[in-house]
């Protein structure tokens, strides 16, 4: 028996028909957006690195649907397009950033990995593995210091889970009882090595135990399970009990990045996950059971495809940044 208080076991979220339809719409937007981003990358319209979120949509939608935009903050690593879409940021601005255009959310200077929106409380998009964990802990400190009632949702992956700065952050967050949810998106392969081969303790939800941070393992392919875990985590953190760790067991269908041939796993394995555990198809089945017609679902898909098509057209036609932009936003102030 644990010798200290722990959060209750999360319950699968009981969503209304309209709520479930909204989760479906958001996950489908991420899926179609990422598919189109992959096409634009193949055409040479997106440069640099590009990490797609296909397969993991239930995590961002399930967690961020419980957050309050403008009050709570979100920070993640380089696989960040889906998190921005789940926080209600305009797909046109995200796609324009991917193509390096002036209209992009970071003025075309951040690209795929470095997006930012102070207005939404979205603080990146970070290319250094695990760096966002320390920054997210700092954001949580800001929420506590300002007494604004906000919580920082700090994402990182199974690969980043072995970074030293992660555990320095855990220690500080628990000592100061900071309002932070550490969300480990365990897609099982990091950059290309199975978590079972790279982590002595592969049950990542246990990683906070030595710092007295409770952990919960969640089915990251089930948006309602994720939403239920988000509710439990937010109740714990908002009650002033300090940080909590969620391990979301998920799976990415594409390689680590667009340049990754993903030869470390078989096509059969990926196809098996798609057939048995796809988060969008699971919600679709629940919607059909709730009385939503196939025609209604097709209408949602058609609407999402139109949104993504317009975002891609906007991103292709928007002007390039002026050369003078190279010298702006380098420093916060003048020294």
């Amino acid at each position: 028996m644990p010798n200290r208080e722990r959060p209750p076991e999360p319950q699968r979220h009981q969503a209304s028909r309209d709520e479930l339809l909204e989760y479906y719409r958001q996950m489908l937007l991420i899926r179609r957006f990422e598919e189109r981003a992959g096409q634009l990358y193949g055409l040479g319209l997106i440069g640099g690195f590009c990490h797609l979120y296909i397969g993991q949509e239930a995590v961002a939608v399930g967690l961020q649907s419980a957050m309050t935009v403008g009050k709570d903050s979100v920070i993640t690593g380089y696989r960040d397009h889906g998190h921005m879409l789940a926080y209600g940021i305009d797909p046109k601005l995200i796609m324009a950033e991917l193509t390096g255009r002036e209209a992009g959310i970071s003025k075309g200077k951040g690209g795929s990995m470095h997006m930012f929106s102070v207005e939404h409380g979205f603080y990146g998009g970070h290319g250094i593995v695990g760096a966002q964990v320390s920054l997210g802990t700092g954001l949580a400190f800001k929420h506590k210091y300002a007494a604004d009632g906000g919580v920082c949702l700090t994402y990182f992956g199974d690969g980043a889970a072995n970074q030293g700065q992660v555990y320095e952050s855990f220690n500080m967050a628990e000592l100061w009882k900071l309002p932070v949810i550490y969300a480990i998106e365990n897609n099982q392969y990091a950059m290309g090595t199975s978590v079972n081969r790279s982590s002595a303790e592969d049950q990542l939800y246990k990683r906070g135990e030595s710092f007295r941070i409770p952990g919960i393992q969640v089915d990251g392919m089930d948006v309602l399970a994720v939403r239920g875990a988000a509710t439990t985590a937010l109740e714990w953190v908002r009650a002033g009990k300090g940080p909590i760790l969620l391990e979301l067991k998920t799976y990415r269908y594409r390689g680590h990045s667009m340049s990754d041939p993903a030869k470390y796993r078989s096509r059969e394995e990926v196809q098996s996950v798609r057939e048995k555990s796809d988060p969008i198809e699971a919600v679709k089945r629940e919607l059909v059971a709730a009385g939503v017609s196939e025609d209604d679902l097709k209408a949602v898909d058609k609407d999402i495809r139109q949104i993504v098509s317009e975002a891609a057209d906007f991103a292709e036609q928007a002007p390039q940044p002026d050369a003078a932009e190279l010298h702006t936003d380098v420093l916060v102030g003048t020294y």
Side-chain angles (χ1 to χ4, degrees):
M1 294 294 291
N3 61 0
R4 55 185 182 271
E5 185 184 5
R6 296 187 64 85
E9 193 66 25
Q11 300 299 307
R12 194 167 185 263
H13 183 63
Q14 299 298 311
S16 67
R17 181 174 175 273
D18 288 346
E19 194 178 4
L20 194 60
L21 196 58
E22 178 59 20
Y23 294 159
Y24 177 74
R25 193 196 69 80
Q26 289 184 25
M27 289 196 293
L28 197 59
L29 173 61
I30 295 172
R31 177 74 56 92
R32 299 291 179 247
F33 183 97
E34 294 290 66
E35 288 170 349
R36 190 59 175 267
Q39 292 171 0
L40 294 182
Y41 188 93
L43 293 170
L45 292 167
I46 295 175
F49 290 101
C50 185
H51 307 81
L52 302 182
Y53 201 62
I54 297 172
Q56 299 182 214
E57 297 90 351
V59 175
V61 172
L63 290 179
Q64 288 169 228
S65 62
M67 311 291 287
T68 304
V69 177
K71 176 184 178 181
D72 300 316
S73 52
V74 174
I75 191 167
T76 188
Y78 38 75
R79 198 181 307 278
D80 57 357
H81 317 158
H83 304 89
M84 297 196 79
L85 290 166
Y87 228 34
I89 298 173
D90 189 342
K92 290 182 179 178
L93 302 184
I94 304 172
M95 196 71 86
E97 186 59 39
L98 290 175
T99 57
R101 306 304 169 111
E102 183 181 24
I105 194 84
S106 296
K107 302 180 185 177
K109 296 185 288 186
S112 172
M113 298 194 294
H114 303 288
M115 302 199 201
F116 211 86
S117 175
V118 174
E119 176 189 355
H120 288 80
F122 185 87
Y123 294 96
H126 293 271
I128 304 299
V129 175
Q132 74 276 13
V133 180
S134 300
L135 297 174
T137 305
L139 287 166
F141 181 80
K142 179 267 177 187
H143 286 307
K144 182 166 185 175
Y145 188 80
D148 58 15
V151 170
C152 182
L153 174 59
T154 301
Y155 288 98
F156 59 104
D158 49 296
N162 293 320
Q163 287 281 319
Q165 59 195 319
V166 170
Y167 300 97
E168 294 178 38
S169 299
F170 282 1
N171 187 57
M172 201 172 289
E174 177 58 27
L175 275 174
W176 295 343
K177 298 295 183 184
L178 299 183
V180 56
I181 297 171
Y182 293 114
I184 304 177
E185 295 195 74
N186 182 1
N187 62 28
Q188 303 176 50
Y189 283 99
M191 282 187 68
T193 303
S194 166
V195 66
N196 309 104
R197 293 177 57 214
S198 60
S199 295
E201 174 53 89
D202 59 6
Q203 300 301 301
L204 302 182
Y205 72 99
K206 297 179 180 179
R207 290 296 186 93
E209 289 294 337
S210 62
F211 301 95
R212 300 193 174 188
I213 298 175
I216 299 171
Q217 192 174 69
V218 187
D219 180 359
M221 303 298 273
D222 179 350
V223 70
L224 296 182
V226 177
R227 182 64 170 78
T231 299
T232 297
L234 281 168
E235 287 173 354
W236 176 268
V237 174
R238 291 201 200 281
K241 296 178 181 178
I244 192 169
L245 191 154
L246 301 178
E247 179 194 1
L248 295 311
K249 296 292 290 291
T250 185
Y251 197 88
R252 56 172 167 78
Y253 297 162
R254 301 289 184 93
H256 168 69
S257 69
M258 288 297 295
S259 59
D260 174 19
K263 292 182 178 179
Y264 41 82
R265 59 185 183 181
S266 67
R267 290 183 180 180
E268 290 75 20
E269 177 185 314
V270 178
Q271 188 58 35
S272 176
V273 175
R274 275 185 176 272
E275 291 174 357
K276 296 176 182 177
S277 306
D278 186 81
I280 296 175
E281 289 300 316
V283 171
K284 188 175 181 180
R285 287 192 294 271
E286 294 211 28
L287 284 168
V288 170
V292 178
S293 70
E294 286 287 345
D295 287 343
D296 287 340
L297 293 174
K298 287 178 182 178
V300 172
D301 194 16
K302 182 179 178 181
D303 180 52
I304 293 299
R305 288 179 186 276
Q306 181 65 28
I307 291 170
V308 170
S309 180
E310 289 175 1
D313 291 344
F314 176 80
E316 291 181 52
Q317 296 166 14
Q320 299 281 349
D322 188 271
E325 275 292 336
L326 282 170
H327 305 288
T328 65
D329 305 316
V330 178
L331 298 174
V332 173
T334 303
Y335 301 92

